[in-house]
Amino acid sequence: MTELPMYVDTDEADAADGSDEPDETLDTGGRPTPILDLVDVGKTYRSGSLSVDALRGVTLSVAEGDYVAVMGPSGSGKSTLMHILGCLDVPTSGRYRLAGEDVSGMQERELADIRNRRIGFVFQQFNLLPAMSAWRNVELPLVYAGVPRAERRARAVEALGRVGLADRIDHRPGELSGGQQQRVSVARALVTNPSLILADEPTGNLDSVSTADVLGLFRELHEQGRTVVIITHEPDVAGQAARTIHILDGQVVDDHAVTAGVAS
């Protein structure tokens, strides 16, 4: 189970960064720089004398505004890939660029800043704080970013309205259905206006009606130009994406467009 990502004060992080220019520019042959770009990425976990290659030479890119599903059986490496895409971990080898910025060798504080500014997370278990109302759960990334209180509430309420929960802003998670809780999670992912929505098994704890409801939200986000990446083992969920990437034994074994996809 992936833990709720840490957020940091972006003003402080920006001040620490100074005015350094970004490093080498990708040669994309005149095409827009991919929002996600992995080149020969490997991830090895070591414990004593034992080592496990969770990812082995993964190369893939995701364009801005794409809707991608990543599939694979247990132990395939898809969870490790999700951690790297979400800047929750870094590769052992290879290169990973997010929106043109090489994050492969960043330290944890830098990664936390990237997560806060550029990635909206949606989790299978919702990761909502039970004692807090919906809008206060949604405002949390803005709290860590140092956004003023009045602006935080306004943005949180707006985000909840976008996912159809304008009349539930003061409800706590225990007063909401599973589908509504996941909508709160989606609102929290949107509140920082990230360039990427990364969802880890977002329908795993939902019934069929709530699943269709949440997938409809992802479809709307895609149609609005958001980049959406879903990690899933469910073919029906993956079938809603415009593209499916299959991972097996730490490698990409298939990468294809889904003709039915979001147009269905």
Side-chain angles (χ1 to χ4, degrees), residues 165-178:
L165 291 178
D167 60 342
R168 295 289 190 274
I169 63 171
D170 292 315
H171 287 60
R172 296 181 180 182
E175 301 170 323
L176 301 172
S177 68

Side-chain angles (χ1 to χ4, degrees), residues 25-181:
T25 303
L26 282 175
D27 179 8
T28 59
R31 299 185 303 275
T33 301
I35 190 169
L36 304 177
D37 188 66
L38 288 78
V39 178
D40 201 25
V41 164
K43 182 64 182 182
T44 301
Y45 294 102
R46 293 184 173 86
S47 178
S49 60
L50 299 177
S51 64
V52 176
D53 294 324
L55 293 180
R56 299 184 294 157
V58 171
T59 296
L60 63 88
S61 63
V62 175
E64 185 175 1
D66 206 352
Y67 184 0
V68 178
V70 178
M71 296 192 71
S74 178
S76 64
K78 70 179 186 298
S79 294
T80 300
L81 179 61
M82 181 266 181
H83 277 73
I84 289 176
L85 292 177
C87 295
L88 296 162
D89 203 349
V90 293
T92 304
S93 60
R95 186 189 70 205
Y96 172 37
R97 290 180 181 265
L98 173 61
E101 184 173 2
D102 193 340
V103 300
S104 307
M106 286 187 176
Q107 300 301 310
E108 173 54 33
R109 183 172 182 81
E110 297 173 294
L111 294 173
D113 178 46
I114 292 288
R115 292 195 295 266
N116 194 35
R117 291 188 291 113
R118 294 184 174 173
I119 305 172
F121 291 89
V122 181
F123 298 99
Q124 178 178 352
Q125 300 291 347
F126 316 140
N127 283 2
L128 302 176
L129 298 180
M132 298 177 69
S133 65
W135 78 265
R136 288 200 175 277
N137 269 283
V138 171
E139 76 161 350
L140 281 174
L142 303 178
V143 173
Y144 294 114
V147 175
R149 180 187 299 270
E151 182 182 346
R152 293 199 309 261
R153 178 181 169 87
R155 288 172 62 175
V157 170
E158 179 186 14
L160 285 165
R162 292 175 64 186
V163 300
L165 291 178
D167 60 342
R168 295 289 190 274
I169 63 171
D170 292 315
H171 287 60
R172 296 181 180 182
E175 301 170 323
L176 301 172
S177 68
Q180 288 172 331
Q181 289 184 60

Side-chain angles (χ1 to χ4, degrees), residues 126 173 176-184 205-207 210 214:
F126 316 140
L176 301 172
S177 68
Q180 288 172 331
Q181 289 184 60
Q182 193 60 293
R183 281 176 171 264
V184 174
N205 287 336
L206 302 180
D207 58 30
S210 296
V214 169

Side-chain angles (χ1 to χ4, degrees), residues 5 19 24 32-33 42 66 73 77 105 149 163 167 188 219 222 238 256 258 262:
S19 57
E24 60 180 296
T33 301
D66 206 352
R149 180 187 299 270
V163 300
D167 60 342
R188 184 182 57 199
R219 183 162 53 247
H222 168 69
H256 67 273
V258 179
V262 296

